[in-house]
Amino acid sequence: MEAVLTATAIGKRFPGVVALSDVDIELLAGEVHALVGENGAGKSTLIKVLTGVYAPDGGTLTYRDRAVHFGRPQDAQAAGISTVYQEVNLVPLQSVASNLFLGREPRTRFGLVDFREMHRRARELLGSYGIDVEVTRPLRTLGMGVQQMVAVARAADTGADTKARVVILDEPTSSLEPREVGTLFGIVERLKADGVAVLYVSHRLDELYRICDRVTVLRDGRLVHNGPMAELPRLRLVAMMLGRDLEEVRRDGATRFDGERTAADAPPVLDAIGLTAKHRLDGVDVTVRPGEIVGLGGLLGAGRSETAMAIAGALPLDSGMVMVAGKRLRTGSVGAAMRAGVVLLPEDRKADGILPELSVRENIVLAALPRLSAAGVVSRRRQDAIVATFMRRLRIKAASPDQRVGELSGGNQQKVLLARLLCTRPKVLLLDEPTRGIDVGAKAEVQALVDELAAEGLGVVLISSEFDEVVEGSDAIVVLREGRVVANLAGAEVTEPALLAALAEEGE
């Protein structure tokens, strides 16, 4: 196969950190190439070097048999290198069609945007990939999964203006339902057939072995392995990513919750009753006791995130109430919820969580500033103590507490958000996709931490699109469909077959 994009001996340094050291990767036409590694391994940095976001400090890039230097992302895009990041980088207030053709809108002979033609092309493009959505709708009115599919379709569009030669997909299925994952894989197969080189970044091993031809493994900014995907056993791949002995991984497993928790026999720390919001929630009840992890099961759009937002005061309710440790909470107020000890880790950390221009320290202590101040003066010593504690406990990889959060990997950004919540000493922790986009090692750390927090008496509500994660991580599961509770599973009933059966029965 023809090499489309080759990176040789790539190096990249930041103050105090070697992000990449002598990394090689070769992307071939008509092939899907996996890029894997723990968060902080250098994957995001390598992608940014390939696409002109960062200039490499060493090494060379060869694109279609020519040495190249992309001074900015627009140069890479113009050459035919498209990237879809895990967090959708589109314009939420614009229509689906406008996002698909942003910067290359069809024009009338008078130079105006030809909306009729743009809508026609948009319907044709999305239809060719099996994506059924009204192209005139604002993008923000669609679910995260559909937004992600629109972003992929935009990147994959091989129009006459800029024919895609390389498409980079960064955690493309993190927001997708199983049906949408099938649609995405259809797009990928079509790209392969068209001779496009696809760089595929994911932490979901099943996907990698299903769709990828070759794999590059990074660890701590260095190349660990290049080779055919089918020739690398799964456990060896995990061992390479973690830098651990193969027998140790085989003995301990890669990722799982403890599974040995017992909820405290005590009055509920959280009792949400009859949560109702028009077109979103219909009489949802959720009860959590100290030391208990309650999962919210269901497909995307079932009302899982809406339930968590309602409990946390971020979604106004038409009716219903929330009790925290026996006291009624004023709903519709995030501040009141936080003062009562209810905190939410949001699904979209980029839009609703991190402040990328602020430091790790500032992001962590943000919610705890009132507790750290005396007479309006914030104690730097107390800040440093708290930040050091949580950076150590959560194993946050950063050059220093003063490094900008926006420079960290996705998994470390997630840990910073979790540290911010724990600084407030909560009673109830609402986790919406806490392991989304997190590598195998970091995922195990987060899951172990959730178990530890529950063992300390914290009440936890867990949301995950991965059914096995909800089952492994939960003492009980509230199953939702179309904003309603369709089943409550507890004890021996907490199994994946029981969860699927509850969803299937309601859908009949």
Side-chain angles (χ1 to χ4, degrees):
M1 292 183 182
E2 172 195 2
V4 181
L5 179 62
T6 303
T8 306
I10 295 296
K12 183 63 183 177
R13 290 177 176 269
F14 298 102
V17 177
V18 178
L20 295 173
S21 178
D22 293 325
V23 172
D24 301 334
I25 191 169
E26 184 179 53
L27 306 182
L28 306 181
E31 183 180 76
V32 181
H33 195 119
L35 178 62
V36 299
E38 287 194 274
N39 287 110
K43 304 187 302 296
S44 296
T45 302
L46 179 58
I47 289 173
K48 290 176 179 178
V49 168
L50 297 178
T51 57
V53 177
Y54 294 151
D57 297 325
T60 59
L61 290 179
T62 304
Y63 180 62
R64 302 177 67 188
D65 297 326
R66 292 172 49 192
V68 294
H69 170 75
F70 298 126
R72 53 183 187 158
Q74 293 91 327
D75 297 336
Q77 292 170 6
I81 300 176
S82 299
T83 307
V84 179
Y85 291 102
Q86 180 179 343
E87 282 84 14
V88 176
N89 289 310
L90 296 177
V91 185
L93 295 178
Q94 295 267 30
S95 70
V96 171
S98 295
N99 275 282
L100 285 171
F101 295 98
L102 195 63
R104 52 191 181 92
E105 299 87 349
R107 302 279 176 175
T108 68
R109 60 193 180 97
F110 301 109
L112 302 175
V113 176
D114 189 340
F115 287 100
R116 178 177 295 180
E117 176 63 13
M118 185 169 69
H119 294 160
R120 185 193 67 79
R121 291 188 191 178
R123 293 188 182 97
E124 183 179 283
L125 173 63
L126 295 179
S128 69
Y129 293 125
I131 304 171
D132 183 18
V133 62
E134 176 47 55
V135 299
T136 60
R137 286 183 60 179
L139 188 71
R140 68 173 182 173
T141 65
L142 306 176
M144 286 296 297
V146 180
Q147 291 186 35
Q148 185 80 346
M149 294 300 295
V150 171
V152 173
R154 171 181 163 81
D157 180 25
T158 54
D161 296 335
T162 54
K163 182 175 178 61
R165 301 285 184 176
V166 177
V167 172
I168 301 173
L169 302 177
D170 185 6
E171 296 288 349
T173 65
S174 59
S175 299
L176 304 186
E177 292 188 41
R179 174 183 55 81
E180 294 170 324
V181 172
T183 301
L184 173 71
F185 287 169
I187 294 176
V188 173
E189 291 294 342
R190 178 169 165 177
L191 291 173
K192 285 181 61 177
D194 289 340
V196 176
V198 178
L199 182 61
Y200 195 94
V201 183
S202 178
H203 298 112
R204 298 180 176 180
L205 298 187
D206 289 343
E207 292 179 8
L208 298 177
Y209 281 93
R210 176 179 172 184
I211 199 72
C212 297
D213 303 297
R214 286 191 303 139
V215 59
T216 292
V217 184
L218 301 181
R219 186 174 68 246
D220 296 329
R222 297 181 179 276
L223 177 65
V224 177
H225 177 79
N226 263 324
M229 192 85 223
E231 296 179 8
L232 184 63
R234 296 192 181 204
L235 282 179
R236 186 172 296 279
L237 172 60
V238 172
M240 286 180 175
M241 292 169 61
L242 300 179
R244 291 163 58 184
D245 181 75
L246 180 61
E247 291 305 316
E248 181 184 0
V249 173
R250 181 177 287 116
R251 181 180 66 250
D252 297 341
T255 62
R256 63 178 293 108
F257 285 91
D258 179 26
E260 298 297 329
R261 294 176 313 279
T262 56
D265 185 13
V269 67
L270 171 70
D271 205 359
I273 304 168
L275 303 183
T276 301
K278 189 175 182 181
H279 303 310
R280 306 182 80 171
L281 297 176
D282 184 7
V284 173
D285 297 338
V286 179
T287 299
V288 184
R289 299 181 183 279
E292 185 178 32
I293 301 178
V294 175
L296 299 184
L299 302 175
L300 287 174
R304 301 170 306 171
S305 295
E306 289 81 357
T307 298
M309 290 169 63
I311 294 170
L315 176 66
L317 292 172
D318 297 321
S319 62
M321 66 178 181
V322 177
M323 306 288 291
V324 179
K327 296 181 180 179
R328 185 164 182 171
L329 175 66
R330 178 164 62 92
T331 58
S333 170
V334 174
M338 292 188 69
R339 287 190 293 272
V342 179
V343 292
L344 168 65
L345 183 78
E347 176 186 9
D348 190 343
R349 62 174 172 261
K350 181 178 179 181
D352 303 321
I354 66 164
L355 299 173
E357 299 302 319
L358 297 186
S359 67
V360 173
R361 173 188 288 104
E362 291 165 327
N363 270 273
I364 288 178
V365 302
L366 191 61
L369 288 178
R371 181 165 56 85
L372 299 176
S373 64
V377 178
V378 178
S379 168
R380 178 62 178 261
R381 179 182 59 81
R382 296 180 67 188
Q383 281 189 55
D384 290 343
I386 286 178
V387 170
T389 297
F390 283 104
M391 288 188 71
R392 180 176 61 253
R393 184 177 185 185
L394 274 65
R395 299 184 186 179
I396 297 172
K397 293 182 180 179
S400 77
D402 296 314
Q403 185 177 4
R404 289 174 56 252
V405 164
E407 296 174 355
L408 302 185
S409 65
N412 282 298
Q413 290 178 6
Q414 191 82 316
K415 291 180 183 180
V416 168
L417 276 181
L418 191 54
R420 180 198 298 171
L421 300 182
L422 297 179
C423 278
T424 66
R425 300 174 182 173
K427 297 183 180 72
V428 178
L429 184 60
L430 310 170
L431 301 176
D432 195 351
E433 302 287 0
T435 63
R436 176 188 171 203
I438 290 181
D439 63 76
V440 174
K443 185 174 182 178
E445 291 172 1
V446 170
Q447 291 170 330
L449 178 62
V450 173
D451 278 326
E452 181 183 332
L453 293 170
E456 293 172 0
L458 196 66
V460 179
V461 175
L462 174 66
I463 300 172
S464 175
S465 296
E466 299 183 36
F467 288 173
D468 57 344
E469 184 171 295
V470 176
V471 169
E472 285 183 8
S474 303
D475 302 298
I477 299 178
V478 177
V479 186
L480 299 171
R481 183 181 177 88
E482 297 180 0
R484 300 188 305 276
V485 176
V486 297
N488 284 282
L489 308 178
E493 298 174 325
V494 180
T495 65
E496 192 166 343
L499 174 56
L500 296 173
L503 292 173
E505 181 179 353
E506 176 65 15
E508 292 178 354

